[in-house]
Amino acid sequence: MSSTEKLRLGVNIDHVATVRNARGGDYPDPLRAAKIAEDAGADGITAHLREDRRHISDADIEGLMEILSVPLNFEMAATEEMQKIALRHKPHAVCIVPEKREERTTEGGLEVAREENKLAHFIAPLREAGSRVSIFIAADPRQIEAANRIGAEVIELHTGAYCDAYVEGRTEEADAELIKLRDMATFAHSLGLEVHAGHGLSYDTVSPLAALPEVRELNIGHFLIGEAIFLGLKPAIIEMRRLMDDARSE
Ligand code: PXP
């Protein structure tokens, strides 16, 4: 595969809903943000409907399904309730993530290896309904092999450990995490899995990941919504896109 293959940018709009929900009203509207993201060059929109509905709501998912021109990547936990919602909407992609009520964000990857049977049954109807199923996992060969065995088409590598280790510049620890991500992207690709990555990415941390030829999509949310406060959403996304494209073409 050549490194010139296009890298997709999925913009996660969860935290537009976080700001909206801080006041309990309907402003700012995540759907409006999604349309601006499309206009800025996002290749997809990601939204995570959490069990506690702390940000994205059921109505947001319904609205996104209606108005989006680009694919929706619907993030959800492996619960019966979420499976029903996904089967009703049949989004382009479903990303299965671990979820703990007490966590502030999705702190780790899914434990696929220990739950293989259960997850294989869980994702089968989603695939039959036409959604591409992605599994959010740590850069760990056991989890990648298990994701492959259960029939996932895509894995998303959790980049949180790399981003956390990147403190005002590349650190030894960040480099070690990057090597893991690179090697696991190569491994997953060799099994025939499509490789995505995300969590905690920013202008500072995005380039080394964007340069990995096996990575086909980056999902980025919190940083972009934060940066939108200073730059506006469209310029914030355009700058991310530029950094990704530059890293890809080097
Ligand atoms: N990918 C997945 C699977 C996620 O759960 C999240 C966070 O919701 C992201 C990407 C985006 O992470 P961030 O908001 O830190 O950019």
Side-chain angles (χ1 to χ4, degrees):
M1 189 198 292
S2 93
S3 65
T4 52
E5 197 155 351
K6 191 180 184 229
L7 176 64
R8 293 194 300 267
L9 169 61
V11 173
N12 180 316
I13 54 163
D14 291 352
H15 296 301
V16 178
T18 302
V19 176
R20 175 194 61 192
N21 296 358
R23 285 291 170 94
D26 56 13
Y27 182 86
D29 181 5
L31 273 59
R32 181 176 166 202
K35 291 311 278 183
I36 291 170
E38 275 185 358
D39 194 37
D43 302 290
I45 298 295
T46 296
H48 182 179
L49 185 66
R50 293 187 78 107
E51 189 192 6
D52 62 8
R53 309 301 197 269
R54 71 177 68 160
H55 37 58
I56 292 294
S57 69
D58 298 67
D60 291 333
I61 298 295
E62 224 154 276
L64 288 167
M65 284 301 299
E66 266 169 40
I67 64 150
L68 286 183
S69 312
V70 296
L72 174 67
N73 176 28
F74 177 57
E75 264 187 47
M76 56 176 240
T79 66
E80 248 178 69
E81 182 202 14
M82 289 300 153
Q83 191 191 50
K84 269 193 206 132
I85 294 170
L87 290 173
R88 191 163 72 243
H89 292 302
K90 300 182 178 53
H92 166 82
V94 171
C95 181
I96 312 290
V97 301
E99 207 173 286
K100 293 191 215 104
R101 257 174 202 255
E102 64 277 15
E103 71 189 356
R104 253 185 288 175
T105 179
T106 313
E107 281 160 9
L110 196 68
E111 175 49 61
V112 197
R114 255 188 276 135
E115 305 267 346
E116 225 175 290
N117 245 340
K118 196 175 132 208
L119 282 167
H121 282 104
F122 185 82
I123 69 169
L126 299 169
R127 295 188 61 202
E128 277 158 30
S131 294
R132 298 193 84 205
V133 175
S134 161
I135 311 279
F136 190 42
I137 49 178
D140 171 348
R142 276 177 57 249
Q143 305 298 345
I144 293 169
E145 283 165 349
N148 188 44
R149 279 194 299 269
I150 66 169
E153 292 159 282
V154 181
I155 56 151
E156 180 164 335
L157 293 172
H158 197 305
T159 54
Y162 156 62
C163 293
D164 287 348
Y166 188 106
V167 192
E168 292 169 22
R170 296 272 283 269
T171 59
E172 252 178 56
E173 201 189 333
D175 281 347
E177 291 296 336
L178 255 184
I179 288 167
K180 251 198 267 174
L181 288 163
R182 183 198 66 197
D183 291 350
M184 290 305 107
T186 305
F187 176 55
H189 183 256
S190 76
L191 297 178
L193 290 159
E194 183 170 308
V195 182
H196 300 176
H199 201 92
L201 293 170
S202 68
Y203 294 155
D204 287 336
T205 52
V206 75
S207 300
L209 275 162
L212 299 178
E214 292 90 356
V215 174
R216 295 297 315 281
E217 179 175 306
L218 296 178
N219 284 303
I220 309 179
H222 182 265
F223 175 82
L224 285 174
I225 304 308
E227 201 60 11
I229 294 169
F230 306 110
L231 300 182
L233 185 56
K234 190 172 176 181
I237 293 170
I238 288 172
E239 175 62 3
M240 187 62 82
R241 178 84 260 173
R242 185 189 69 74
L243 289 166
M244 285 165 55
D245 291 344
D246 283 359
R248 201 73 167 175
S249 62
E250 267 167 19

PDB file of all heavy atoms in Angstrom, residues 101-135:
ATOM      1  N   ARG A 101     -19.505   3.791  33.620  1.00  0.00           N
ATOM      2  CA  ARG A 101     -20.209   5.005  34.019  1.00  0.00           C
ATOM      3  C   ARG A 101     -19.301   6.031  34.680  1.00  0.00           C
ATOM      4  O   ARG A 101     -19.431   7.229  34.482  1.00  0.00           O
ATOM      5  CB  ARG A 101     -21.327   4.655  34.993  1.00  0.00           C
ATOM      6  CG  ARG A 101     -22.673   4.681  34.330  1.00  0.00           C
ATOM      7  CD  ARG A 101     -23.740   4.211  35.240  1.00  0.00           C
ATOM      8  NE  ARG A 101     -24.849   3.774  34.410  1.00  0.00           N
ATOM      9  CZ  ARG A 101     -25.957   4.477  34.259  1.00  0.00           C
ATOM     10  NH1 ARG A 101     -26.137   5.607  34.871  1.00  0.00           N
ATOM     11  NH2 ARG A 101     -26.913   4.028  33.469  1.00  0.00           N
ATOM     12  N   GLU A 102     -18.363   5.524  35.508  1.00  0.00           N
ATOM     13  CA  GLU A 102     -17.575   6.457  36.325  1.00  0.00           C
ATOM     14  C   GLU A 102     -16.426   7.105  35.544  1.00  0.00           C
ATOM     15  O   GLU A 102     -15.802   8.038  36.016  1.00  0.00           O
ATOM     16  CB  GLU A 102     -17.048   5.749  37.582  1.00  0.00           C
ATOM     17  CG  GLU A 102     -16.077   4.601  37.348  1.00  0.00           C
ATOM     18  CD  GLU A 102     -16.742   3.252  37.037  1.00  0.00           C
ATOM     19  OE1 GLU A 102     -17.941   3.211  36.714  1.00  0.00           O
ATOM     20  OE2 GLU A 102     -16.018   2.244  37.096  1.00  0.00           O
ATOM     21  N   GLU A 103     -16.140   6.627  34.314  1.00  0.00           N
ATOM     22  CA  GLU A 103     -14.994   7.182  33.598  1.00  0.00           C
ATOM     23  C   GLU A 103     -15.376   8.539  32.978  1.00  0.00           C
ATOM     24  O   GLU A 103     -16.530   8.787  32.653  1.00  0.00           O
ATOM     25  CB  GLU A 103     -14.509   6.219  32.513  1.00  0.00           C
ATOM     26  CG  GLU A 103     -15.452   6.099  31.331  1.00  0.00           C
ATOM     27  CD  GLU A 103     -15.093   4.995  30.350  1.00  0.00           C
ATOM     28  OE1 GLU A 103     -14.058   4.336  30.503  1.00  0.00           O
ATOM     29  OE2 GLU A 103     -15.893   4.799  29.423  1.00  0.00           O
ATOM     30  N   ARG A 104     -14.356   9.379  32.787  1.00  0.00           N
ATOM     31  CA  ARG A 104     -14.611  10.677  32.167  1.00  0.00           C
ATOM     32  C   ARG A 104     -14.698  10.544  30.661  1.00  0.00           C
ATOM     33  O   ARG A 104     -15.388  11.275  29.991  1.00  0.00           O
ATOM     34  CB  ARG A 104     -13.488  11.640  32.526  1.00  0.00           C
ATOM     35  CG  ARG A 104     -13.975  12.671  33.525  1.00  0.00           C
ATOM     36  CD  ARG A 104     -12.923  13.688  33.800  1.00  0.00           C
ATOM     37  NE  ARG A 104     -11.854  13.107  34.598  1.00  0.00           N
ATOM     38  CZ  ARG A 104     -10.749  13.750  34.919  1.00  0.00           C
ATOM     39  NH1 ARG A 104     -10.550  14.976  34.482  1.00  0.00           N
ATOM     40  NH2 ARG A 104      -9.822  13.179  35.650  1.00  0.00           N
ATOM     41  N   THR A 105     -13.908   9.616  30.121  1.00  0.00           N
ATOM     42  CA  THR A 105     -13.919   9.366  28.682  1.00  0.00           C
ATOM     43  C   THR A 105     -13.615   7.886  28.489  1.00  0.00           C
ATOM     44  O   THR A 105     -13.425   7.165  29.463  1.00  0.00           O
ATOM     45  CB  THR A 105     -12.895  10.285  27.971  1.00  0.00           C
ATOM     46  OG1 THR A 105     -12.915   9.994  26.565  1.00  0.00           O
ATOM     47  CG2 THR A 105     -11.484  10.079  28.499  1.00  0.00           C
ATOM     48  N   THR A 106     -13.567   7.434  27.234  1.00  0.00           N
ATOM     49  CA  THR A 106     -13.313   6.011  26.995  1.00  0.00           C
ATOM     50  C   THR A 106     -11.843   5.729  27.277  1.00  0.00           C
ATOM     51  O   THR A 106     -10.981   5.980  26.441  1.00  0.00           O
ATOM     52  CB  THR A 106     -13.698   5.634  25.548  1.00  0.00           C
ATOM     53  OG1 THR A 106     -14.980   6.200  25.289  1.00  0.00           O
ATOM     54  CG2 THR A 106     -13.764   4.143  25.365  1.00  0.00           C
ATOM     55  N   GLU A 107     -11.579   5.213  28.475  1.00  0.00           N
ATOM     56  CA  GLU A 107     -10.198   5.195  28.962  1.00  0.00           C
ATOM     57  C   GLU A 107      -9.326   4.069  28.414  1.00  0.00           C
ATOM     58  O   GLU A 107      -8.111   4.172  28.410  1.00  0.00           O
ATOM     59  CB  GLU A 107     -10.196   5.186  30.502  1.00  0.00           C
ATOM     60  CG  GLU A 107     -10.462   6.585  31.046  1.00  0.00           C
ATOM     61  CD  GLU A 107     -10.949   6.595  32.477  1.00  0.00           C
ATOM     62  OE1 GLU A 107     -10.933   5.530  33.120  1.00  0.00           O
ATOM     63  OE2 GLU A 107     -11.365   7.663  32.937  1.00  0.00           O
ATOM     64  N   GLY A 108      -9.922   3.012  27.983  1.00  0.00           N
ATOM     65  CA  GLY A 108      -9.103   1.913  27.455  1.00  0.00           C
ATOM     66  C   GLY A 108      -9.799   1.254  26.275  1.00  0.00           C
ATOM     67  O   GLY A 108     -10.902   1.641  25.898  1.00  0.00           O
ATOM     68  N   GLY A 109      -9.141   0.251  25.723  1.00  0.00           N
ATOM     69  CA  GLY A 109      -9.745  -0.478  24.624  1.00  0.00           C
ATOM     70  C   GLY A 109     -10.659  -1.580  25.143  1.00  0.00           C
ATOM     71  O   GLY A 109     -10.683  -1.885  26.338  1.00  0.00           O
ATOM     72  N   LEU A 110     -11.391  -2.166  24.214  1.00  0.00           N
ATOM     73  CA  LEU A 110     -12.319  -3.233  24.579  1.00  0.00           C
ATOM     74  C   LEU A 110     -11.548  -4.536  24.834  1.00  0.00           C
ATOM     75  O   LEU A 110     -10.586  -4.831  24.132  1.00  0.00           O
ATOM     76  CB  LEU A 110     -13.303  -3.428  23.423  1.00  0.00           C
ATOM     77  CG  LEU A 110     -14.575  -4.209  23.703  1.00  0.00           C
ATOM     78  CD1 LEU A 110     -15.491  -3.426  24.636  1.00  0.00           C
ATOM     79  CD2 LEU A 110     -15.309  -4.489  22.396  1.00  0.00           C
ATOM     80  N   GLU A 111     -12.000  -5.287  25.832  1.00  0.00           N
ATOM     81  CA  GLU A 111     -11.402  -6.594  26.115  1.00  0.00           C
ATOM     82  C   GLU A 111     -12.127  -7.607  25.212  1.00  0.00           C
ATOM     83  O   GLU A 111     -13.179  -8.118  25.567  1.00  0.00           O
ATOM     84  CB  GLU A 111     -11.574  -6.897  27.608  1.00  0.00           C
ATOM     85  CG  GLU A 111     -11.117  -8.247  28.079  1.00  0.00           C
ATOM     86  CD  GLU A 111      -9.722  -8.650  27.629  1.00  0.00           C
ATOM     87  OE1 GLU A 111      -8.763  -7.954  27.969  1.00  0.00           O
ATOM     88  OE2 GLU A 111      -9.594  -9.675  26.933  1.00  0.00           O
ATOM     89  N   VAL A 112     -11.567  -7.834  24.027  1.00  0.00           N
ATOM     90  CA  VAL A 112     -12.222  -8.718  23.048  1.00  0.00           C
ATOM     91  C   VAL A 112     -11.857 -10.172  23.317  1.00  0.00           C
ATOM     92  O   VAL A 112     -12.692 -11.064  23.214  1.00  0.00           O
ATOM     93  CB  VAL A 112     -11.797  -8.387  21.595  1.00  0.00           C
ATOM     94  CG1 VAL A 112     -12.758  -9.006  20.594  1.00  0.00           C
ATOM     95  CG2 VAL A 112     -11.719  -6.894  21.371  1.00  0.00           C
ATOM     96  N   ALA A 113     -10.573 -10.377  23.656  1.00  0.00           N
ATOM     97  CA  ALA A 113     -10.075 -11.743  23.770  1.00  0.00           C
ATOM     98  C   ALA A 113     -10.871 -12.554  24.792  1.00  0.00           C
ATOM     99  O   ALA A 113     -11.166 -13.718  24.566  1.00  0.00           O
ATOM    100  CB  ALA A 113      -8.584 -11.719  24.120  1.00  0.00           C
ATOM    101  N   ARG A 114     -11.241 -11.909  25.909  1.00  0.00           N
ATOM    102  CA  ARG A 114     -11.974 -12.644  26.957  1.00  0.00           C
ATOM    103  C   ARG A 114     -13.466 -12.781  26.662  1.00  0.00           C
ATOM    104  O   ARG A 114     -14.155 -13.560  27.297  1.00  0.00           O
ATOM    105  CB  ARG A 114     -11.760 -11.958  28.314  1.00  0.00           C
ATOM    106  CG  ARG A 114     -10.795 -12.746  29.189  1.00  0.00           C
ATOM    107  CD  ARG A 114     -10.731 -12.182  30.594  1.00  0.00           C
ATOM    108  NE  ARG A 114      -9.801 -11.068  30.657  1.00  0.00           N
ATOM    109  CZ  ARG A 114     -10.040  -9.909  31.269  1.00  0.00           C
ATOM    110  NH1 ARG A 114     -11.191  -9.658  31.843  1.00  0.00           N
ATOM    111  NH2 ARG A 114      -9.127  -8.970  31.290  1.00  0.00           N
ATOM    112  N   GLU A 115     -13.975 -11.968  25.750  1.00  0.00           N
ATOM    113  CA  GLU A 115     -15.426 -11.928  25.498  1.00  0.00           C
ATOM    114  C   GLU A 115     -15.741 -12.359  24.071  1.00  0.00           C
ATOM    115  O   GLU A 115     -16.750 -11.928  23.507  1.00  0.00           O
ATOM    116  CB  GLU A 115     -15.926 -10.482  25.683  1.00  0.00           C
ATOM    117  CG  GLU A 115     -15.599  -9.848  26.995  1.00  0.00           C
ATOM    118  CD  GLU A 115     -16.714 -10.043  28.003  1.00  0.00           C
ATOM    119  OE1 GLU A 115     -17.815 -10.429  27.586  1.00  0.00           O
ATOM    120  OE2 GLU A 115     -16.469  -9.842  29.200  1.00  0.00           O
ATOM    121  N   GLU A 116     -14.856 -13.169  23.505  1.00  0.00           N
ATOM    122  CA  GLU A 116     -14.939 -13.436  22.078  1.00  0.00           C
ATOM    123  C   GLU A 116     -16.297 -13.951  21.608  1.00  0.00           C
ATOM    124  O   GLU A 116     -16.883 -13.404  20.666  1.00  0.00           O
ATOM    125  CB  GLU A 116     -13.849 -14.456  21.731  1.00  0.00           C
ATOM    126  CG  GLU A 116     -13.120 -14.068  20.488  1.00  0.00           C
ATOM    127  CD  GLU A 116     -11.966 -14.987  20.194  1.00  0.00           C
ATOM    128  OE1 GLU A 116     -10.975 -14.938  20.951  1.00  0.00           O
ATOM    129  OE2 GLU A 116     -12.046 -15.738  19.219  1.00  0.00           O
ATOM    130  N   ASN A 117     -16.793 -14.962  22.302  1.00  0.00           N
ATOM    131  CA  ASN A 117     -18.049 -15.575  21.889  1.00  0.00           C
ATOM    132  C   ASN A 117     -19.201 -14.593  21.932  1.00  0.00           C
ATOM    133  O   ASN A 117     -19.988 -14.473  20.987  1.00  0.00           O
ATOM    134  CB  ASN A 117     -18.369 -16.734  22.840  1.00  0.00           C
ATOM    135  CG  ASN A 117     -18.341 -18.024  22.073  1.00  0.00           C
ATOM    136  OD1 ASN A 117     -18.461 -18.018  20.852  1.00  0.00           O
ATOM    137  ND2 ASN A 117     -18.193 -19.125  22.796  1.00  0.00           N
ATOM    138  N   LYS A 118     -19.275 -13.912  23.073  1.00  0.00           N
ATOM    139  CA  LYS A 118     -20.354 -12.956  23.301  1.00  0.00           C
ATOM    140  C   LYS A 118     -20.316 -11.838  22.237  1.00  0.00           C
ATOM    141  O   LYS A 118     -21.343 -11.478  21.641  1.00  0.00           O
ATOM    142  CB  LYS A 118     -20.174 -12.357  24.706  1.00  0.00           C
ATOM    143  CG  LYS A 118     -21.381 -11.653  25.232  1.00  0.00           C
ATOM    144  CD  LYS A 118     -21.147 -11.212  26.669  1.00  0.00           C
ATOM    145  CE  LYS A 118     -21.568  -9.767  26.801  1.00  0.00           C
ATOM    146  NZ  LYS A 118     -20.875  -9.035  27.821  1.00  0.00           N
ATOM    147  N   LEU A 119     -19.123 -11.350  21.970  1.00  0.00           N
ATOM    148  CA  LEU A 119     -19.007 -10.252  21.001  1.00  0.00           C
ATOM    149  C   LEU A 119     -19.277 -10.719  19.578  1.00  0.00           C
ATOM    150  O   LEU A 119     -19.851  -9.979  18.775  1.00  0.00           O
ATOM    151  CB  LEU A 119     -17.620  -9.605  21.100  1.00  0.00           C
ATOM    152  CG  LEU A 119     -17.447  -8.657  22.282  1.00  0.00           C
ATOM    153  CD1 LEU A 119     -15.982  -8.304  22.506  1.00  0.00           C
ATOM    154  CD2 LEU A 119     -18.271  -7.376  22.088  1.00  0.00           C
ATOM    155  N   ALA A 120     -18.878 -11.943  19.272  1.00  0.00           N
ATOM    156  CA  ALA A 120     -19.146 -12.468  17.927  1.00  0.00           C
ATOM    157  C   ALA A 120     -20.659 -12.483  17.684  1.00  0.00           C
ATOM    158  O   ALA A 120     -21.141 -12.071  16.624  1.00  0.00           O
ATOM    159  CB  ALA A 120     -18.562 -13.866  17.783  1.00  0.00           C
ATOM    160  N   HIS A 121     -21.422 -12.929  18.691  1.00  0.00           N
ATOM    161  CA  HIS A 121     -22.881 -12.949  18.562  1.00  0.00           C
ATOM    162  C   HIS A 121     -23.462 -11.545  18.530  1.00  0.00           C
ATOM    163  O   HIS A 121     -24.442 -11.286  17.850  1.00  0.00           O
ATOM    164  CB  HIS A 121     -23.507 -13.749  19.717  1.00  0.00           C
ATOM    165  CG  HIS A 121     -23.375 -15.216  19.495  1.00  0.00           C
ATOM    166  ND1 HIS A 121     -22.457 -15.983  20.170  1.00  0.00           N
ATOM    167  CD2 HIS A 121     -24.023 -16.044  18.643  1.00  0.00           C
ATOM    168  CE1 HIS A 121     -22.544 -17.231  19.733  1.00  0.00           C
ATOM    169  NE2 HIS A 121     -23.486 -17.293  18.812  1.00  0.00           N
ATOM    170  N   PHE A 122     -22.821 -10.669  19.283  1.00  0.00           N
ATOM    171  CA  PHE A 122     -23.330  -9.301  19.368  1.00  0.00           C
ATOM    172  C   PHE A 122     -23.191  -8.565  18.035  1.00  0.00           C
ATOM    173  O   PHE A 122     -24.094  -7.826  17.620  1.00  0.00           O
ATOM    174  CB  PHE A 122     -22.580  -8.541  20.474  1.00  0.00           C
ATOM    175  CG  PHE A 122     -23.112  -7.166  20.705  1.00  0.00           C
ATOM    176  CD1 PHE A 122     -24.236  -6.974  21.498  1.00  0.00           C
ATOM    177  CD2 PHE A 122     -22.516  -6.057  20.106  1.00  0.00           C
ATOM    178  CE1 PHE A 122     -24.748  -5.701  21.700  1.00  0.00           C
ATOM    179  CE2 PHE A 122     -23.024  -4.779  20.300  1.00  0.00           C
ATOM    180  CZ  PHE A 122     -24.139  -4.607  21.103  1.00  0.00           C
ATOM    181  N   ILE A 123     -22.061  -8.748  17.366  1.00  0.00           N
ATOM    182  CA  ILE A 123     -21.842  -7.946  16.143  1.00  0.00           C
ATOM    183  C   ILE A 123     -22.466  -8.570  14.896  1.00  0.00           C
ATOM    184  O   ILE A 123     -22.683  -7.865  13.911  1.00  0.00           O
ATOM    185  CB  ILE A 123     -20.347  -7.616  15.896  1.00  0.00           C
ATOM    186  CG1 ILE A 123     -19.547  -8.868  15.511  1.00  0.00           C
ATOM    187  CG2 ILE A 123     -19.735  -6.893  17.083  1.00  0.00           C
ATOM    188  CD1 ILE A 123     -18.136  -8.534  15.009  1.00  0.00           C
ATOM    189  N   ALA A 124     -22.781  -9.872  14.954  1.00  0.00           N
ATOM    190  CA  ALA A 124     -23.298 -10.538  13.738  1.00  0.00           C
ATOM    191  C   ALA A 124     -24.529  -9.820  13.156  1.00  0.00           C
ATOM    192  O   ALA A 124     -24.555  -9.501  11.955  1.00  0.00           O
ATOM    193  CB  ALA A 124     -23.579 -12.003  14.031  1.00  0.00           C
ATOM    194  N   PRO A 125     -25.565  -9.514  13.963  1.00  0.00           N
ATOM    195  CA  PRO A 125     -26.731  -8.832  13.380  1.00  0.00           C
ATOM    196  C   PRO A 125     -26.423  -7.427  12.867  1.00  0.00           C
ATOM    197  O   PRO A 125     -27.045  -6.971  11.902  1.00  0.00           O
ATOM    198  CB  PRO A 125     -27.737  -8.772  14.540  1.00  0.00           C
ATOM    199  CG  PRO A 125     -27.060  -9.264  15.738  1.00  0.00           C
ATOM    200  CD  PRO A 125     -25.770  -9.896  15.370  1.00  0.00           C
ATOM    201  N   LEU A 126     -25.461  -6.778  13.482  1.00  0.00           N
ATOM    202  CA  LEU A 126     -25.097  -5.427  13.023  1.00  0.00           C
ATOM    203  C   LEU A 126     -24.483  -5.514  11.625  1.00  0.00           C
ATOM    204  O   LEU A 126     -24.781  -4.708  10.741  1.00  0.00           O
ATOM    205  CB  LEU A 126     -24.108  -4.774  13.992  1.00  0.00           C
ATOM    206  CG  LEU A 126     -24.620  -4.585  15.419  1.00  0.00           C
ATOM    207  CD1 LEU A 126     -23.480  -4.196  16.347  1.00  0.00           C
ATOM    208  CD2 LEU A 126     -25.705  -3.509  15.459  1.00  0.00           C
ATOM    209  N   ARG A 127     -23.646  -6.514  11.444  1.00  0.00           N
ATOM    210  CA  ARG A 127     -23.030  -6.722  10.122  1.00  0.00           C
ATOM    211  C   ARG A 127     -24.080  -7.112   9.101  1.00  0.00           C
ATOM    212  O   ARG A 127     -24.084  -6.621   7.974  1.00  0.00           O
ATOM    213  CB  ARG A 127     -21.939  -7.789  10.194  1.00  0.00           C
ATOM    214  CG  ARG A 127     -20.759  -7.372  11.050  1.00  0.00           C
ATOM    215  CD  ARG A 127     -19.642  -8.362  10.921  1.00  0.00           C
ATOM    216  NE  ARG A 127     -19.173  -8.446   9.543  1.00  0.00           N
ATOM    217  CZ  ARG A 127     -18.517  -9.486   9.035  1.00  0.00           C
ATOM    218  NH1 ARG A 127     -18.250 -10.512   9.787  1.00  0.00           N
ATOM    219  NH2 ARG A 127     -18.120  -9.474   7.778  1.00  0.00           N
ATOM    220  N   GLU A 128     -25.000  -7.989   9.517  1.00  0.00           N
ATOM    221  CA  GLU A 128     -26.069  -8.407   8.588  1.00  0.00           C
ATOM    222  C   GLU A 128     -26.931  -7.218   8.179  1.00  0.00           C
ATOM    223  O   GLU A 128     -27.451  -7.175   7.062  1.00  0.00           O
ATOM    224  CB  GLU A 128     -26.956  -9.476   9.237  1.00  0.00           C
ATOM    225  CG  GLU A 128     -26.360 -10.870   9.119  1.00  0.00           C
ATOM    226  CD  GLU A 128     -26.896 -11.828  10.176  1.00  0.00           C
ATOM    227  OE1 GLU A 128     -28.053 -11.644  10.606  1.00  0.00           O
ATOM    228  OE2 GLU A 128     -26.135 -12.733  10.585  1.00  0.00           O
ATOM    229  N   ALA A 129     -27.068  -6.248   9.095  1.00  0.00           N
ATOM    230  CA  ALA A 129     -27.871  -5.057   8.785  1.00  0.00           C
ATOM    231  C   ALA A 129     -27.117  -4.085   7.873  1.00  0.00           C
ATOM    232  O   ALA A 129     -27.667  -3.076   7.441  1.00  0.00           O
ATOM    233  CB  ALA A 129     -28.273  -4.353  10.080  1.00  0.00           C
ATOM    234  N   GLY A 130     -25.854  -4.383   7.604  1.00  0.00           N
ATOM    235  CA  GLY A 130     -25.103  -3.575   6.642  1.00  0.00           C
ATOM    236  C   GLY A 130     -24.145  -2.570   7.247  1.00  0.00           C
ATOM    237  O   GLY A 130     -23.520  -1.799   6.518  1.00  0.00           O
ATOM    238  N   SER A 131     -24.024  -2.561   8.577  1.00  0.00           N
ATOM    239  CA  SER A 131     -23.074  -1.624   9.203  1.00  0.00           C
ATOM    240  C   SER A 131     -21.683  -2.251   9.225  1.00  0.00           C
ATOM    241  O   SER A 131     -21.543  -3.447   9.479  1.00  0.00           O
ATOM    242  CB  SER A 131     -23.498  -1.308  10.645  1.00  0.00           C
ATOM    243  OG  SER A 131     -24.719  -0.602  10.667  1.00  0.00           O
ATOM    244  N   ARG A 132     -20.681  -1.434   8.986  1.00  0.00           N
ATOM    245  CA  ARG A 132     -19.293  -1.905   9.134  1.00  0.00           C
ATOM    246  C   ARG A 132     -18.980  -1.876  10.614  1.00  0.00           C
ATOM    247  O   ARG A 132     -19.147  -0.843  11.268  1.00  0.00           O
ATOM    248  CB  ARG A 132     -18.316  -0.969   8.417  1.00  0.00           C
ATOM    249  CG  ARG A 132     -18.529  -0.891   6.945  1.00  0.00           C
ATOM    250  CD  ARG A 132     -17.350  -0.206   6.299  1.00  0.00           C
ATOM    251  NE  ARG A 132     -16.284  -1.160   6.054  1.00  0.00           N
ATOM    252  CZ  ARG A 132     -15.007  -0.842   5.962  1.00  0.00           C
ATOM    253  NH1 ARG A 132     -14.615   0.396   6.133  1.00  0.00           N
ATOM    254  NH2 ARG A 132     -14.094  -1.772   5.703  1.00  0.00           N
ATOM    255  N   VAL A 133     -18.508  -2.979  11.143  1.00  0.00           N
ATOM    256  CA  VAL A 133     -18.268  -3.026  12.591  1.00  0.00           C
ATOM    257  C   VAL A 133     -16.785  -2.838  12.883  1.00  0.00           C
ATOM    258  O   VAL A 133     -15.925  -3.532  12.335  1.00  0.00           O
ATOM    259  CB  VAL A 133     -18.778  -4.344  13.203  1.00  0.00           C
ATOM    260  CG1 VAL A 133     -18.398  -4.423  14.678  1.00  0.00           C
ATOM    261  CG2 VAL A 133     -20.290  -4.450  13.041  1.00  0.00           C
ATOM    262  N   SER A 134     -16.547  -1.866  13.736  1.00  0.00           N
ATOM    263  CA  SER A 134     -15.195  -1.554  14.168  1.00  0.00           C
ATOM    264  C   SER A 134     -15.098  -1.816  15.672  1.00  0.00           C
ATOM    265  O   SER A 134     -16.060  -1.611  16.403  1.00  0.00           O
ATOM    266  CB  SER A 134     -14.955  -0.073  13.841  1.00  0.00           C
ATOM    267  OG  SER A 134     -13.891   0.447  14.575  1.00  0.00           O
ATOM    268  N   ILE A 135     -13.935  -2.282  16.101  1.00  0.00           N
ATOM    269  CA  ILE A 135     -13.741  -2.576  17.522  1.00  0.00           C
ATOM    270  C   ILE A 135     -12.606  -1.691  18.039  1.00  0.00           C
ATOM    271  O   ILE A 135     -11.513  -1.692  17.466  1.00  0.00           O
ATOM    272  CB  ILE A 135     -13.365  -4.071  17.730  1.00  0.00           C
ATOM    273  CG1 ILE A 135     -14.314  -5.007  16.971  1.00  0.00           C
ATOM    274  CG2 ILE A 135     -13.295  -4.418  19.216  1.00  0.00           C
ATOM    275  CD1 ILE A 135     -15.620  -5.293  17.630  1.00  0.00           C
TER     276      ILE A 135
END
